[in-house]
Amino acid sequence: MRDLLIPYYEHPSVRPAEWDAIIAAAPRLCGVVVNPASGPGETPDQAFAEVAARLREADVRVLGYADTDYGRRPTADVVRDLVRHRDWYGADGVFLDQVAAGREEFPYYQRLATAAWGAGYGTLTLNHGTTPHPSYARIADVLVTFEGTWATYTRLGPQQWRGGGGVRLCHLVYGVPPDVDLTEPARDRGATVHCAVPGIGDHPWGTLPHALAPTG
């Protein structure tokens, strides 16, 4: 079951063992977010290009990261990031971050989805971090409907909306204790994709799930 989506925001030359561990977990991976510089960066990064190639060879979907600033970032800037991810890192999927959740912003994301499809992308992941208006299920393959701490997650009740039209829901949780397996708690809350990491503070996605973290 490919139920893990990994947003790992560390450079491969600095954390090679961690990237090796991600690739070794390929059979479980729904996708891995490639994020060299809060996006693709201004020039290609050879280390990320190499790790992206290894992910593709392991049959893992490479998701290019782009920030949307909750619908405030110019469409052309986001599309430029997506084209760079495709051309520089061979990304075959998109991970849009800081995505608005309201119905009024939907046309902005519909335009981005159309641009992504036109650029040849096959998978669109939207990180709302909360439950969005159901219209977003029409354009996305994966919707991140929770991003936050384990303490907050434990207080989260069953989600009333569980997607539709084939979209998968994802929960990204940080500050997770080492003895916690998020698979069942996420499923109970309607998510079939997840990631649970121990990191806290401003940069939790510089850590891996306990089960993937290299030892020694």
Side-chain angles (χ1 to χ4, degrees):
M1 176 64 174
R2 291 180 178 264
D3 58 355
L4 289 180
L5 189 152
I6 307 294
Y8 185 59
Y9 301 156
E10 291 289 337
H11 199 277
S13 65
V14 177
R15 297 283 186 269
E18 284 76 1
W19 280 101
D20 289 344
I22 291 172
I23 293 165
R28 286 199 62 190
L29 301 182
C30 170
V32 174
V33 182
V34 170
N35 184 18
S38 296
E42 293 301 317
T43 58
D45 186 311
Q46 185 59 32
F48 270 102
E50 291 173 0
V51 82
R54 292 176 62 198
L55 288 166
R56 293 195 307 274
E57 289 169 4
D59 195 29
V60 176
R61 192 168 295 281
V62 176
L63 307 177
Y65 176 99
D67 182 13
T68 70
D69 193 23
Y70 301 103
R72 294 185 291 262
R73 192 171 178 219
T75 300
D77 291 352
V78 180
V79 173
R80 180 196 61 206
D81 282 357
L82 301 186
V83 171
R84 287 177 173 177
H85 275 299
R86 180 198 65 191
D87 293 347
W88 296 348
Y89 309 115
D92 49 6
V94 174
F95 183 91
L96 297 183
D97 198 16
Q98 297 199 105
V99 175
R103 178 67 181 87
E104 59 274 18
E105 293 91 2
F106 177 72
Y108 169 89
Y109 290 98
Q110 192 169 36
R111 291 192 296 272
L112 289 180
T114 299
W117 298 328
Y121 283 105
T123 299
L124 180 61
T125 300
L126 303 180
N127 183 13
H128 303 278
T130 189
T131 302
H133 188 275
S135 59
Y136 290 90
R138 290 162 32 198
I139 61 172
D141 299 282
V142 179
L143 296 175
V144 180
T145 58
F146 179 88
E147 180 178 1
T149 67
W150 171 246
T152 301
Y153 196 68
T154 58
R155 298 192 295 270
L156 184 70
Q159 291 186 293
Q160 298 302 310
W161 183 70
R162 300 204 167 202
V167 70
R168 301 180 73 183
L169 304 187
C170 173
H171 293 165
L172 303 178
V173 189
Y174 49 88
V176 179
D179 58 341
V180 171
D181 181 347
L182 198 67
T183 305
E184 289 304 322
R187 187 175 292 119
D188 290 344
R189 293 165 173 82
T192 60
V193 182
H194 64 272
C195 186
V197 301
I200 57 175
D202 294 334
H203 186 47
W205 305 114
T207 59
L208 290 178
H210 291 288
L212 270 63
T215 58

